[in-house]
Amino acid sequence: MFLRYSYILGGLMIGLVLATPVRAATQDPTPIAACPTDPLAPAETPRVEIDTRNGPTIGTMQYRDGGGLRNKEIALTFDDGPNPDVTPRILDILDKHCIKATFFMVGFYAEARPDLVREVAARGHIIGTHTWSHPNSLRHLSMASAKTQIKRGFAAIKTALASAPPSDRTALAPFFRFPGLNDKKSLIIWLGDHNIATISCSFGADDWKHINANQVYARGLGAIESEGRGILILHDTKPHTADMLSRFIVTLERRGYRFVQLAPKPTSRTLADATPLDLRNALP
Ligand SMILES: [Zn+2]
């Protein structure tokens, strides 16, 4: 344990010396406040806002539009939670590094632990949805069943946030991610009719596979280094993801990457509210 912390602290010191002048020389002349618990990080995560009008498809692994991320910008996304064991660990690590992320939640788990949904919102993260029960692929379901999966996913998060402070309720974004990234044209169009964006990714770290934390760390870094920017998919259901996350973030910071948060444009929320999914038969 001591050795591990020494290593991380040593890395922080070296990174601080290297990173500070670069940031000061190339960024806004106003000094950027540092994260109190991570001297390599800024105190706030800039947002990359997605205009969800007509349901764009975002994420270079599958689509042309990368979401507008600039070189060396990384957006962290977490799928399949909320999970009572792993989500709180992930939230603490993100707080430690002053990073805001985007969570794609499964309705069934959100209904089981609405307190965790509210906690994710209260800590400043954005919440998109990822169906009600995470079937492997919506392609094999009827349109009616697939739509119910999507609607119940949104309904579960809405219900969980109904008792949250009004400012936290805006955490729910008109963002949808297909399970297994198995999209379907007709569903993308239907989501677009409701001004909901389909959010894919640029790369993953294979953390859904049976591999250990070091392998997740190495594969995630490898994917990021080969693309230079993008939306990363991780899972807040996997202990090995939480095990490597802090080290992973520090390494990226030392290599000059900056974290951004995928969020909807404020006008997108209004637009999606004006074209709501019909949740009458979808409430859990
Ligand atoms: Zn998933």
Side-chain angles (χ1 to χ4, degrees):
M1 186 62 87
F2 174 74
L3 279 175
R4 198 167 156 205
Y5 278 109
S6 299
Y7 169 75
I8 293 170
L9 284 172
L12 285 173
M13 295 307 289
I14 293 163
L16 181 62
V17 170
L18 292 175
T20 307
V22 175
R23 182 175 289 153
T26 58
Q27 303 281 320
D28 185 324
T30 327
I32 300 166
C35 176
T37 45
D38 176 357
L40 294 182
E44 289 180 20
T45 309
R47 286 187 162 181
V48 170
E49 292 186 340
I50 306 291
D51 184 347
T52 71
R53 187 177 6 176
N54 301 324
T57 49
I58 307 288
T60 53
M61 183 183 275
Q62 293 175 283
Y63 313 116
R64 260 192 229 145
D65 188 345
L69 274 68
R70 288 181 291 192
N71 194 35
K72 293 245 162 185
E73 288 185 339
I74 301 296
L76 294 181
T77 67
F78 294 90
D79 287 11
D80 296 1
N83 178 287
D85 298 318
V86 183
T87 304
R89 291 181 61 198
I90 300 275
L91 291 177
D92 286 348
I93 293 165
L94 294 175
D95 274 358
K96 182 182 157 200
H97 297 285
C98 297
I99 294 172
K100 306 294 186 206
T102 306
F103 288 73
F104 291 88
M105 293 186 177
V106 171
F108 179 83
Y109 296 129
E111 189 190 46
R113 290 299 303 266
D115 57 315
L116 283 177
V117 179
R118 290 191 286 274
E119 184 69 21
V120 169
R123 302 236 206 156
H125 304 291
I126 293 291
I127 301 175
T129 71
H130 195 44
T131 72
W132 164 250
S133 65
H134 206 292
N136 287 336
S137 173
L138 295 185
R139 291 173 185 166
H140 307 308
L141 302 185
S142 68
M143 274 302 275
S145 301
K147 286 179 183 177
T148 301
Q149 275 285 342
I150 294 170
K151 289 195 282 188
R152 283 190 80 179
F154 274 97
I157 307 298
K158 246 188 156 145
T159 304
L161 291 178
S163 59
S167 57
D168 291 354
R169 281 179 226 156
T170 61
L172 175 57
F175 286 175
F176 178 71
R177 179 172 275 162
F178 283 89
L181 305 180
N182 294 310
D183 65 1
K184 189 173 180 178
K185 190 85 184 273
S186 51
L187 287 170
I188 290 174
I189 291 168
W190 176 73
L191 288 163
D193 291 341
H194 297 281
N195 297 298
I196 294 169
T198 293
I199 308 287
S200 179
C201 68
S202 314
F203 30 63
D206 287 344
D207 66 336
W208 51 277
K209 293 183 177 170
H210 293 290
I211 58 175
N212 64 37
N214 285 336
Q215 289 169 306
V216 173
Y217 170 89
R219 291 187 195 188
L221 285 181
I224 287 171
E225 290 284 29
S226 72
E227 302 275 329
R229 75 180 78 183
I231 302 165
L232 175 66
I233 287 195
L234 295 169
H235 294 81
D236 58 321
T237 51
K238 302 293 183 189
H240 54 228
T241 299
D243 291 343
M244 67 94 210
L245 187 61
S246 191
R247 186 162 61 102
F248 183 73
I249 288 168
V250 169
T251 300
L252 287 169
E253 288 168 348
R254 290 178 62 195
R255 293 184 188 182
Y257 287 91
R258 299 171 300 278
F259 293 94
V260 293
Q261 181 184 34
L262 274 194
K265 270 195 162 173
T267 48
S268 290
R269 280 204 189 86
T270 316
L271 201 60
D273 283 347
T275 51
L277 295 173
D278 179 3
L279 300 179
R280 276 173 302 177
N281 299 317
L283 289 167

